[in-house]
Amino acid sequence: MGGNISFQRIPISKDRIVVVTGGNTGIGYETAKWMAMLGASVIIACRSEKRAQEAITRMKSDFRERVKEQKTEGVTQTDDLSVEFMKLDLSSLKSTKEFVDQFTESGRPLNTLICNAGIAFHPLEYTEDGNETMFQVNYLSHLLLTFHLLPIMKRSGDDNRVILVSSHGHNNHSTPFSVDKIQGNNTTQITFQDSNTMETRNYIRFYKLNPGLVDTEVTRGFQDSSWMTWSWKIVRAFSKSPAEGAEHTLNAAINPALKGVRDVYFQDCKPKNTNADARNKDIQESVLEYSLSCLNDYITDDIRNEWKTQ
Ligand SMILES: NC(=O)c1ccc[n+]([C@@H]2O[C@H](COP(=O)([O-])OP(=O)(O)OC[C@H]3O[C@@H](n4cnc5c(N)ncnc54)[C@H](OP(=O)(O)O)[C@@H]3O)[C@@H](O)[C@H]2O)c1
């Protein structure tokens, strides 16, 4: 079910730093593991230290198993993987900013930011910041991360990429997009993690992708009796494994053929147009304006002014 995804896997220097949000399970786990197996230094940014540390142990054991079975083609020549945990709870802007501060203070470069963590069909709930939870976890906190980490990426050398693991959600709405409804009945639209407002930037490559239907823990938010739970039971038979789902992210993150190519949305690893609303400049501006207002206490005037004048 993984499709015909084929790209050249070249070793990655351990000096290249990769951050994967939600790297402890599902698509993020496989993505983080593969980036580390190719040689990069990977940070999994997760809300639970316990789940993250267990995931790191599993990644290392998967790697040792692979070496034992001599399945080492394209895999780094090392005894161990470089994967570490950093705390990040995207349902809290304070936690997100603390992650940024800790990363910035470390003085490390950043080459690849993989905005992967996400929740789906979550019951209507609000975060400590007063935002609808899916809106904040999937989109707003990733935007805050990106605002603060881009300057570091800009100073971190060549071929740096921001990957937004998105979904088909940008197409799933029957009413016209309205910024007034972002936090509520229109949240599926924002799972697209609307990066179009960022696309005018010319120093970092942005790639968005839809991994398709992947059999992960993403269903944990579904209510037991909901139509989603029943639909999932049916479509699960046709879904991809997390490793196959991660191929979509890895393509965007490491495919050398994409070096120099800017700002693409991938469906099945092929460039596709996003929904017309997502490409509408007026909507992009209103979403940016609204997002900046939600992040008011966590961004500087410099960031606000820089983004407003793009
Ligand atoms: N699976 C699919 O069919 C599918 C389809 C389209 C798009 N996607 C997208 O793919 C991405 C990965 O999803 P997945 O399928 O791998 O789901 P998953 O198995 O549920 O993994 C989601 C990850 O996000 C993390 N996360 C959730 N809330 C968080 C928070 N507040 N702060 C930090 N991390 C948080 C989870 O951490 P915990 O383990 O601590 O909960 C977990 O690591 C998501 O963006 C999802 O929207 C998935």
Side-chain angles (χ1 to χ4, degrees), residues 22-28 45-48 51 88-91 116-119 137 165-168 193 210-218 220 232:
N24 61 282
T25 188
I27 298 168
C46 305
R47 60 179 162 175
S48 157
R51 279 169 71 80
L88 170 67
D89 182 352
L90 294 156
S91 68
N116 161 85
I119 48 177
V137 170
V165 181
S166 184
S167 73
H168 191 65
Q193 296 170 335
N210 171 12
L213 207 60
V214 187
D215 190 6
T216 64
E217 293 184 55
V218 78
R220 71 186 109 166
W232 181 259

Side-chain angles (χ1 to χ4, degrees), residues 21 51 88 119 122 184 216 226 230 244 279:
T21 69
R51 279 169 71 80
L88 170 67
I119 48 177
H122 200 72
T216 64
S226 73
W230 287 105
E244 288 169 330
R279 288 177 278 126

Side-chain angles (χ1 to χ4, degrees), residues 72-297:
T72 49
E73 201 184 338
V75 166
T76 180
Q77 302 291 312
T78 176
D79 291 338
D80 204 1
L81 300 184
S82 175
V83 192
E84 65 185 278
F85 156 78
M86 277 179 69
K87 171 88 179 172
L88 170 67
D89 182 352
L90 294 156
S91 68
S92 159
L93 295 177
K94 182 168 172 281
S95 168
T96 306
K97 184 61 170 53
E98 280 168 1
F99 173 89
V100 164
D101 291 343
Q102 207 188 329
F103 188 87
T104 307
E105 278 159 26
S106 76
R108 288 194 276 191
L110 178 60
N111 304 100
T112 314
L113 172 61
I114 302 183
C115 299
N116 161 85
I119 48 177
F121 297 95
H122 200 72
L124 186 61
E125 268 176 23
Y126 293 87
T127 66
E128 64 187 26
D129 303 292
N131 296 305
E132 192 279 322
T133 305
M134 284 210 293
F135 169 76
Q136 183 165 330
V137 170
N138 294 0
Y139 166 71
L140 192 65
S141 292
H142 279 119
L143 185 67
L144 182 61
L145 270 188
T146 310
F147 279 160
H148 285 283
L149 296 177
L150 271 178
I152 297 176
M153 295 185 78
K154 190 181 174 184
R155 298 191 295 269
S156 300
D158 193 25
D159 196 17
N160 298 331
R161 305 183 187 189
V162 178
I163 314 301
L164 307 175
V165 181
S166 184
S167 73
H168 191 65
H170 60 100
N171 276 320
N172 292 349
H173 61 99
S174 49
T175 52
F177 183 91
S178 161
V179 79
D180 305 332
K181 293 182 186 155
I182 278 182
Q183 300 214 34
N185 59 6
N186 259 355
T187 46
T188 51
Q189 292 175 54
I190 214 72
T191 59
F192 173 51
Q193 296 170 335
D194 190 324
S195 72
N196 291 355
T197 45
M198 303 176 193
E199 289 188 356
T200 51
R201 312 188 68 87
N202 59 14
Y203 48 85
I204 306 286
R205 313 293 170 212
F206 282 88
Y207 303 102
K208 296 151 280 186
L209 64 102
N210 171 12
L213 207 60
V214 187
D215 190 6
T216 64
E217 293 184 55
V218 78
T219 54
R220 71 186 109 166
F222 297 0
Q223 318 281 307
D224 273 352
S225 56
S226 73
W227 65 269
M228 274 305 300
T229 307
W230 287 105
S231 313
W232 181 259
K233 282 183 180 154
I234 297 164
V235 298
R236 194 175 179 184
F238 306 101
S239 63
K240 299 169 186 144
S241 69
E244 288 169 330
E247 291 294 293
H248 297 255
T249 311
L250 291 166
N251 172 60
I254 60 175
N255 187 342
L258 295 177
K259 192 173 173 180
V261 177
R262 288 185 56 200
D263 309 330
V264 186
Y265 168 66
F266 291 104
Q267 165 80 37
D268 293 327
C269 291
K270 295 191 189 77
K272 282 270 155 50
N273 267 341
T274 51
N275 176 283
D277 279 355
R279 288 177 278 126
N280 178 307
K281 292 284 172 213
D282 291 338
I283 291 179
Q284 290 173 14
E285 272 169 33
S286 66
V287 172
L288 176 63
E289 186 75 31
Y290 182 74
S291 307
L292 288 169
S293 73
C294 295
L295 296 175
N296 211 18
D297 295 342

Side-chain angles (χ1 to χ4, degrees), residues 6-25:
S6 146
F7 51 89
Q8 196 191 352
R9 290 179 193 226
I10 45 179
I12 306 174
S13 158
K14 72 173 179 6
D15 296 336
R16 285 186 73 85
I17 311 286
V18 178
V19 168
V20 184
T21 69
N24 61 282
T25 188

